Amino acid sequence: MEAPILVYRGTYIESTHDIHIAVVNRDGELIYSYGDPNRLTFPRSSMKPFQAIPLIETGAADRFAYDGSALALSCASHSGESYHRHTVLDILDKLGLKEDALQCGTHTPWDMASYKKLLTAGKDVTPVYSNCSGKHSGMLATAVHMNEDIASYREITHPVQQRILEAIEAVCSYPKEQIRISVDGCGVPVHQLPLLHAALGYARLAKPDASNKREGALERIRDGMINYPEMVGGTKRFDTDLMKAFGNQIVSKAGAEAVQCLGLTMEGIGIAVKVEDGGTRAVSVATMEVLRQLGIGNEQIFKQLSKYIEAPVYNARKEKIGAVKANFVLKKTQGEI
């Protein structure tokens, strides 16, 4: 049996990736799967929309005049482009804080134009360039609004992180006592739970139920991400391109170590994908194949997103010498999770 993701060099298979997929409706039924839908997974940045829930529920978003664009940035793994940085700095200004209040650390931004401009000026990256600076500024906004200590906002015992833990428990229907906690790349707590529970969270984000007390917050977060997809990722980023191509049909957020979560807004279906070895080159290919098998999208949309369907493999001369292709069939399942 061949692997579900095949990496070709020319016409020859050079490498493969194993994947796990869970497709769940908002009623908590696993309807399709591949691999192990129960795989314990750190969804990493795919949890950012749920980490933003307390920003709204505490009233911090309203107090500090968060519009849809700023809310989308609080859920982002952004590229560090100028509009991302300026929005974070504007939020910090409203909070009465400087950039050094951000405890997300620094890294080379995805936006190489911004990075080259810094190098040319003899400067180095600062925390605002971090792909997680939007999330961290949202956590700071909540702490400032609630008159809580800002120096320790990253700690799991801090009220900011406890509110986030409770929100994830509720939306993903997974007891917080069973959620395993570790540390994310940006220094805040990261949450491990079965893949299908992450998918359930996205089903509810995509089409919030009126019986859910978090319906209003989920709707605002979803609409912010869909209406301002460039804030969630950036130029030539999968999340951004996917949401732009599908309009208001999909809300999407990637996570490190090859995780992708998305919700179908019309159907109220959540999808979670995990590439077993953390190989990010397989993520978009697997995700687009799931959408194809579910009958989501049309020829025009798939043509627009063709580079994500069969991800090209290039050599150092920028010549296409291979491709990453999907090779799996979803298993239809039906049952409560």
Side-chain angles (χ1 to χ4, degrees), residues 221-291:
I221 290 166
R222 176 202 63 196
D223 292 348
M225 294 174 69
I226 288 175
N227 292 331
Y228 299 93
E230 71 281 356
M231 301 304 287
V232 178
T235 306
K236 297 180 180 179
R237 297 284 303 283
F238 181 53
D239 281 326
T240 298
D241 291 349
L242 184 70
M243 287 190 283
K244 280 185 175 180
F246 277 91
N248 65 353
Q249 297 180 61
I250 287 179
V251 58
S252 174
K253 184 67 194 73
E257 289 298 312
V259 173
Q260 185 71 46
C261 293
L262 56 155
L264 310 181
T265 61
M266 307 299 178
E267 298 83 359
I269 288 175
I271 301 165
V273 177
K274 166 65 180 174
V275 181
E276 179 62 34
D277 62 4
T280 55
R281 63 185 176 180
V283 174
S284 74
V285 176
T287 301
M288 293 304 299
E289 180 62 16
V290 172
L291 293 175

Side-chain angles (χ1 to χ4, degrees), residues 2-306:
E2 288 188 317
I5 301 293
L6 308 176
V7 183
Y8 286 86
R9 181 165 295 269
T11 58
Y12 304 102
I13 296 173
E14 181 175 41
S15 302
T16 63
H17 297 278
D18 286 327
I19 57 175
H20 307 284
I21 298 168
V23 182
V24 178
N25 65 27
R26 66 177 184 176
D27 295 325
E29 295 175 323
L30 179 69
I31 52 179
Y32 290 97
S33 67
Y34 185 88
D36 180 9
N38 286 288
R39 185 191 189 278
L40 286 173
T41 304
F42 286 110
R44 303 290 294 275
S45 287
S46 293
M47 288 288 100
K48 284 178 177 176
F50 309 134
Q51 290 173 300
I53 289 173
L55 173 64
I56 294 173
E57 291 186 337
T58 61
D62 290 335
R63 175 180 171 184
F64 297 116
Y66 267 70
D67 60 9
S69 176
L71 279 176
L73 191 65
S74 71
C75 305
S77 297
H78 65 75
S79 295
E81 295 172 71
S82 60
Y83 55 90
H84 298 129
R85 305 193 310 270
H86 292 158
T87 302
V88 173
L89 291 173
D90 180 61
I91 292 169
L92 291 174
D93 185 61
K94 290 177 181 178
L95 302 180
L97 299 175
K98 301 296 184 183
E99 187 180 351
D100 60 8
L102 295 170
Q103 297 181 31
C104 49
T106 60
H107 59 75
T108 302
W110 276 302
D111 180 37
M112 293 309 296
S114 294
Y115 186 50
K116 290 176 181 177
K117 188 174 181 180
L118 272 177
L119 294 179
T120 301
K123 299 179 180 179
D124 201 356
V125 289
T126 60
V128 74
Y129 285 85
S130 166
N131 72 93
C132 293
S133 61
K135 175 180 73 175
H136 279 250
S137 59
M139 291 176 178
L140 283 167
T142 308
V144 170
H145 176 66
M146 300 298 288
N147 296 312
E148 295 163 351
D149 179 55
I150 63 170
S152 59
Y153 76 89
R154 292 189 300 113
E155 304 299 326
I156 186 61
T157 54
H158 194 284
V160 164
Q161 302 303 333
Q162 286 297 305
R163 284 189 289 266
I164 287 171
L165 183 59
E166 193 272 332
I168 291 174
E169 173 187 49
V171 176
C172 298
S173 290
Y174 196 67
K176 63 182 180 181
E177 294 80 14
Q178 295 181 35
I179 296 175
R180 297 175 181 177
I181 303 296
S182 192
V183 182
D184 214 335
C186 62
V188 297
V190 64
H191 312 84
Q192 187 190 62
L193 64 166
L195 191 65
L196 50 77
H197 284 272
L200 175 58
Y202 269 77
R204 292 170 172 170
L205 172 66
K207 193 173 184 179
D209 193 308
S211 65
N212 191 320
K213 71 174 184 177
R214 291 187 158 81
E215 179 185 21
L218 290 170
E219 283 184 346
R220 286 179 64 179
I221 290 166
R222 176 202 63 196
D223 292 348
M225 294 174 69
I226 288 175
N227 292 331
Y228 299 93
E230 71 281 356
M231 301 304 287
V232 178
T235 306
K236 297 180 180 179
R237 297 284 303 283
F238 181 53
D239 281 326
T240 298
D241 291 349
L242 184 70
M243 287 190 283
K244 280 185 175 180
F246 277 91
N248 65 353
Q249 297 180 61
I250 287 179
V251 58
S252 174
K253 184 67 194 73
E257 289 298 312
V259 173
Q260 185 71 46
C261 293
L262 56 155
L264 310 181
T265 61
M266 307 299 178
E267 298 83 359
I269 288 175
I271 301 165
V273 177
K274 166 65 180 174
V275 181
E276 179 62 34
D277 62 4
T280 55
R281 63 185 176 180
V283 174
S284 74
V285 176
T287 301
M288 293 304 299
E289 180 62 16
V290 172
L291 293 175
R292 187 193 69 79
Q293 292 188 30
L294 293 179
I296 306 299
N298 55 42
E299 184 178 348
Q300 180 181 351
I301 289 175
F302 278 74
K303 183 177 180 180
Q304 185 177 343
L305 297 171
S306 60

